[in-house]
């Protein structure tokens, strides 16, 4: 051994103190620990020694190497700290300045209405599911027993991509998708966007529906009636006047539409419902003698307009903050 380890440590300490940045430190690391460093040479020379000495000196050299590495790391941290301090000083952060206020956003009124409706049905044991907005002809129409010449299929009302694919016109398409996938009993609601080619004070090309479907062994119209009534009483308050009116939908029989009495003493339709048509059950291989089903579909915007007493549906989608801020 030529150099005393302590002496070597003194040398590196002096050199380390002189380093002003990481780049200089890297150079120093090469000088003391690199391939051509004094230390590496010493390691190389070990092989000339006898075993006993070899063991002794390699322990010393390894210890020295560790110490040097830790000193270099220590210096690195110090340099980084100094650099950071300098940066902060330069940026001149005034920590006494009070922060900028971030305004909280709110849920869109349509989202709030959907959440409220979901909340009610989840409490009754329904599961909430969603499905594709780009549908095929089969799920949106044919499987739902909607005849080939039905006006709702026309180009005037429906956004078709090609002869098979379209933007779904109703969430009822999910009745089929769920029944194809799951075995009864089924008890679901499906909130989601639907699309129709309409635009005026009470129609927008995109709007929201919530579909409901129950399939079980002993489902009858009174079950459906109870659920709808209960829902409307909870949603609009117990003084609301409700009317069940006979109606027609291809996928339910019997079918009904439900009206509620508006402020102007006129009946307003709020949802459609009925007992699932046997043809629909057949289409999804559910035995209509063993299982019965009831379904309903409601328009979310219609509910929101009545709930908040808004006369023009288009306000909901114009993103005017003066309108939206009223729903905090
Ligand atoms: N899909 C119907 C529509 O968009 C609404 C509807 C009516 C859904 C009756 C149903 C139902 O599930 O049973 O007008």
């Amino acid at each position: 051994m030529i150099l005393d380890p302590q002496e070597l440590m003194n040398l590196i300490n002096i050199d380390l103190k002189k380093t002003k940045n990481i780049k200089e430190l890297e150079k120093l690391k090469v000088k003391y620990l690199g391939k051509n460093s004094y230390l590496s040479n010493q390691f190389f020379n070990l092989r000339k020694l006898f075993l006993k000495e070899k063991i002794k000196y390699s322990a010393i050299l390894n210890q020295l190497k560790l110490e040097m590495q830790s000193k270099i790391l220590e210096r690195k941290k110090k340099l980084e700290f100094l650099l950071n301090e300098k940066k902060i000083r330069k940026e001149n952060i005034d920590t006494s300045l009070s922060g900028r206020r971030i305004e909280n956003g709110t849920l869109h009124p349509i989202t709030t209405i959907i959440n409220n409706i979901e909340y009610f049905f989840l409490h009754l044991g329904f599961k909430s599911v969603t499905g594709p907005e780009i549908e095929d002809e089969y799920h949106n129409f044919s499987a739902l027993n909607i005849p080939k010449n039905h006006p709702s299929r026309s180009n005037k009302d429906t956004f078709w991509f090609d002869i098979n694919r379209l933007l779904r016109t109703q969430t009822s398409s999910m009745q089929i998708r769920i029944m194809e996938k799951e075995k009864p009993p089924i008890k679901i609601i499906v909130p989601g966007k639907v699309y129709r080619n309409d635009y005026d004070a009470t129609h927008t090309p995109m709007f929201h529906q919530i579909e409901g479907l129950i399939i079980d062994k002993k489902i009858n119209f009174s079950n459906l009636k109870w659920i709808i009534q209960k829902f409307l009483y909870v949603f609009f308050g117990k003084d609301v006047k409700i009317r069940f009116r006979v109606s027609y939908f291809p996928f339910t029989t019997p079918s009904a539409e439900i009206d509620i009495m508006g402020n102007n003493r006129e009946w307003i339709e709020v949802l459609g419902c009925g007992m699932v048509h046997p043809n629909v059950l057949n289409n999804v291989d559910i035995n209509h003698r063993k299982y019965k089903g009831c379904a309903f579909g409601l328009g979310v915007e219609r509910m929101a307009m009545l709930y908040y007493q808004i006369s023009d549906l288009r306000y909901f989608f114009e993103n005017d903050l003066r309108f939206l801020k009223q729903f905090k």
Side-chain angles (χ1 to χ4, degrees):
M1 287 252 121
I2 309 164
L3 260 181
D4 170 21
Q6 193 50 51
E7 225 170 291
L8 193 63
M9 284 314 290
N10 287 345
L11 277 180
I12 191 171
N13 280 336
I14 294 169
D15 272 357
L16 276 171
K17 266 200 195 125
K18 286 194 218 151
T19 52
K20 287 194 284 297
N21 52 45
I22 302 288
K23 218 171 160 184
E24 285 181 16
L25 188 68
E26 286 299 326
K27 270 194 198 153
L28 201 118
K29 195 171 164 187
V30 173
K31 178 176 166 192
Y32 282 92
L33 294 172
K35 251 199 224 152
N36 298 320
S37 65
Y38 172 77
L39 198 67
S40 290
N41 275 330
Q42 291 301 314
F43 271 115
F44 188 71
N45 289 338
L46 279 180
R47 77 200 156 92
K48 296 179 197 154
L49 303 178
F50 290 115
L51 185 64
K52 227 171 157 190
E53 288 195 304
K54 208 187 249 176
I55 293 171
K56 182 179 158 203
Y57 283 116
S58 69
I60 296 175
L61 288 178
N62 274 321
Q63 178 61 27
L64 198 56
K65 187 176 169 187
L66 282 178
E67 270 177 43
M68 282 180 166
Q69 280 171 334
S70 97
K71 285 282 173 199
I72 289 171
L73 190 68
E74 197 180 292
R75 181 66 184 166
K76 188 172 173 209
K77 284 193 179 142
K78 178 86 195 255
L79 284 173
E80 280 169 352
F81 173 78
L82 291 174
L83 189 76
N84 207 19
E85 274 222 315
K86 206 164 138 194
K87 219 160 112 192
I88 291 172
R89 239 177 288 127
K90 214 163 96 194
E91 280 170 6
N92 207 3
I93 293 175
D94 180 354
T95 45
S96 66
L97 204 66
S98 55
R100 236 173 261 139
R101 220 185 132 89
I102 298 172
E103 233 184 286
N104 277 344
T106 53
L107 291 179
H108 191 279
I110 293 296
T111 308
T112 305
I113 295 285
I114 292 176
N115 288 350
N116 289 348
I117 297 174
E118 260 190 330
Y119 186 75
F120 172 85
F121 285 102
L122 294 186
H123 269 258
L124 285 191
F126 283 74
K127 198 169 79 175
S128 180
V129 296
T130 55
E133 287 168 31
I134 296 176
E135 253 309 351
D136 53 44
E137 180 279 327
Y138 178 75
H139 290 89
N140 198 90
F141 295 119
S142 291
L144 286 162
N145 200 35
I146 299 175
K148 284 274 183 259
N149 59 356
H150 196 274
S152 67
R153 290 176 179 251
S154 88
N155 284 336
K156 247 178 59 211
D157 292 322
T158 302
F159 295 109
W160 289 93
F161 293 104
D162 51 44
I163 50 163
N164 183 36
R165 289 177 318 143
L166 64 149
L167 285 173
R168 69 175 174 196
T169 61
Q170 48 184 355
T171 45
S172 306
S173 54
M174 273 303 284
Q175 287 192 24
I176 305 299
R177 288 197 177 273
I178 288 293
M179 289 191 287
E180 281 172 339
K181 218 172 65 185
E182 288 181 19
K183 293 217 164 357
I186 293 171
K187 204 170 168 191
I188 51 142
I189 54 164
V190 189
K193 293 186 171 68
V194 297
Y195 301 84
R196 289 181 203 173
N197 199 356
D198 260 335
Y199 190 64
D200 60 35
T202 51
H203 298 89
T204 48
M206 183 282 297
F207 59 103
H208 298 80
Q209 286 187 334
I210 295 183
E211 192 78 15
L213 175 72
I214 307 178
I215 306 284
D216 210 335
K217 282 193 177 131
K218 286 183 184 154
I219 293 295
N220 57 41
F221 201 88
S222 349
N223 300 132
L224 176 64
K225 198 169 173 193
W226 183 88
I227 288 173
I228 303 286
Q229 267 177 342
K230 190 91 182 159
F231 165 64
L232 292 174
Y233 286 137
V234 169
F235 191 84
F236 288 113
K238 62 179 185 344
D239 295 329
V240 69
K241 287 208 165 44
I242 303 171
R243 176 172 83 172
F244 276 68
R245 179 165 44 77
V246 173
S247 182
Y248 172 78
F249 299 101
F251 36 90
T252 45
T253 182
S255 307
E257 275 174 303
I258 320 303
D259 302 328
I260 65 166
M261 177 76 83
N263 282 344
N264 52 2
R265 314 233 108 241
E266 277 183 28
W267 290 106
I268 308 161
E269 180 208 323
V270 287
L271 61 90
C273 64
M275 301 303 293
V276 178
H277 197 291
N279 289 354
V280 174
L281 294 176
N282 278 343
N283 288 339
V284 289
D285 286 334
I286 291 180
N287 184 345
H288 71 265
R289 281 176 229 292
K290 202 162 147 203
Y291 288 104
K292 301 279 172 244
C294 66
F296 56 88
L298 58 88
V300 176
E301 281 75 7
R302 178 66 64 88
M303 302 291 279
M305 282 171 87
L306 290 167
Y307 187 80
Y308 293 121
Q309 301 190 3
I310 289 162
S311 56
D312 194 322
L313 178 63
R314 290 169 292 197
Y315 285 129
F316 283 125
F317 305 117
E318 279 169 358
N319 282 343
D320 185 336
L321 285 181
R322 289 168 306 176
F323 173 75
L324 293 174
K325 276 187 173 166
Q326 299 175 58
F327 299 94
K328 279 202 170 177

